[in-house]
Amino acid sequence: MHHTAWTKKGSSLPSDRIPPKAQARTQAVPAKAKGKRKDEPAPPKSKDVRRLEKLRDDLRKASGHDKDPKGGCFCQARMHSLSAYTPVCRACGLILCELNLPHYACPHCAGPLLNPAARETLLDALESKVTETLAKEEEDRQRALQEAQNAEGAFPTLSAAGSRSGTPGPGPGVDAHPVNQTHKVLSLDSKTRRVKVASYTPPSLSRAASSDKVNKEPPPEPEHKRVLAPPKEVVCAAAPSIQRPWANMRGLAVTYVPPSRV
């Protein structure tokens, strides 16, 4: 018998002479994930992030020559903290507190508080501060979630993948493990010496309540007490008379009380 490349040695079956069909290469098509979750809304931004972003955006839009519509504050850092961005006006020397924002003009001389170079430097610093704050908050959020998971504990999965691998720890079945699945809990009664089987379902927060918390607008910030600008005209009192050197010449109802004699 004539042997070909596909015939087996020591075999005289006719089927061995039939050449095998070329197997078509099949490309693995990834199956679409069933029940894919929609994009979850981003967590609400903290008060510090919103304040920094608003200050950055206002500084980009403002020209620097507009006065604060609220009038600024003339406490000169005696009632409020000193401004971290523009502590003093370089034109008139007015000490500025934290209520005098850097994108407004000086409340006294109406001059810009920042030159172009200082403006760009402050914008870069605010952008870096926003990025660092967001990264720190995300790290704290992930740490809190991990601590909550460790404190709550996790039930071992009994899926086929986990049973084949032989390890009840984290594996392929853990990712598909539903969060609010009902678990069977075995407990031993010390008095009756019997085993009790109970069902346990972790509490879950409804989506409506969670979405309301995320979409809820933050409360408005409380209004600070501001010190008004001093009057443009200085009120000067007339000189007192010789007979009454102690008299109040500004018109206030003040009565002089002589010292008591001992």
Side-chain angles (χ1 to χ4, degrees):
M1 182 181 64
H2 179 70
H3 293 279
T4 59
W6 56 83
T7 57
K8 297 180 180 180
K9 294 183 180 180
S11 177
S12 59
L13 298 176
S15 59
D16 293 339
R17 301 182 182 182
I18 302 175
K21 296 181 180 180
Q23 298 179 357
R25 297 181 179 178
T26 58
Q27 297 180 355
V29 179
K32 295 183 179 180
K34 296 182 180 180
K36 187 177 181 181
R37 297 181 179 177
K38 297 181 179 180
D39 296 338
E40 297 182 357
K45 297 180 180 179
S46 63
K47 181 179 178 181
D48 295 338
V49 174
R50 293 197 305 268
R51 178 180 59 82
L52 291 173
E53 288 182 345
K54 185 178 184 305
L55 182 60
R56 178 199 59 190
D57 298 339
D58 292 343
L59 191 60
R60 287 176 178 173
K61 299 175 184 178
S63 61
H65 298 276
D66 300 331
K67 276 193 172 184
D68 189 353
K70 296 182 180 180
C73 182
F74 289 83
C75 72
Q76 300 188 25
R78 289 175 295 184
M79 183 181 298
H80 310 107
S81 301
L82 187 67
S83 174
Y85 309 108
T86 51
V88 62
C89 176
R90 299 184 181 275
C92 64
L94 178 66
I95 304 300
L96 303 174
C97 66
E98 60 182 357
L99 298 186
N100 297 293
L101 301 178
H103 56 275
Y104 287 125
C106 175
H108 176 63
C109 67
L113 298 178
L114 296 172
N115 54 29
R119 185 191 190 91
E120 293 298 328
T121 303
L122 181 56
L123 282 174
D124 295 341
L126 289 175
E127 189 69 32
S128 302
K129 188 66 175 178
V130 169
T131 305
E132 293 175 1
T133 306
L134 287 174
K136 184 178 182 302
E137 290 181 356
E138 181 63 24
E139 183 180 354
D140 295 343
R141 188 180 301 110
Q142 295 297 333
R143 186 185 302 110
L145 289 176
Q146 186 65 30
E147 291 177 356
Q149 292 177 0
N150 296 338
E152 182 182 359
F155 289 90
T157 58
L158 302 179
S159 59
S163 60
R164 286 195 301 267
S165 60
T167 55
V174 178
D175 297 335
H177 193 273
V179 178
N180 299 327
Q181 183 183 6
T182 303
H183 305 282
K184 297 294 184 180
V185 180
L186 300 178
S187 59
L188 179 62
D189 194 347
S190 59
K191 296 182 179 179
T192 60
R193 302 293 181 177
R194 292 183 180 180
V195 178
K196 295 182 180 181
V197 181
S199 300
Y200 169 75
T201 303
S204 61
L205 183 65
S206 61
R207 295 184 178 179
S210 60
S211 60
D212 292 343
K213 289 185 178 181
V214 172
N215 300 329
K216 186 178 180 180
E217 295 182 358
E221 296 183 359
E223 189 66 23
H224 297 277
K225 185 178 180 181
R226 298 170 181 263
V227 177
L228 301 178
K232 296 182 179 180
E233 297 180 359
V234 180
V235 179
C236 298
S241 62
I242 301 177
Q243 291 78 10
R244 298 186 62 190
W246 58 84
N248 187 356
M249 306 304 296
R250 299 187 63 179
L252 300 179
V254 179
T255 304
Y256 174 74
V257 178
S260 58
R261 298 181 179 180
V262 180

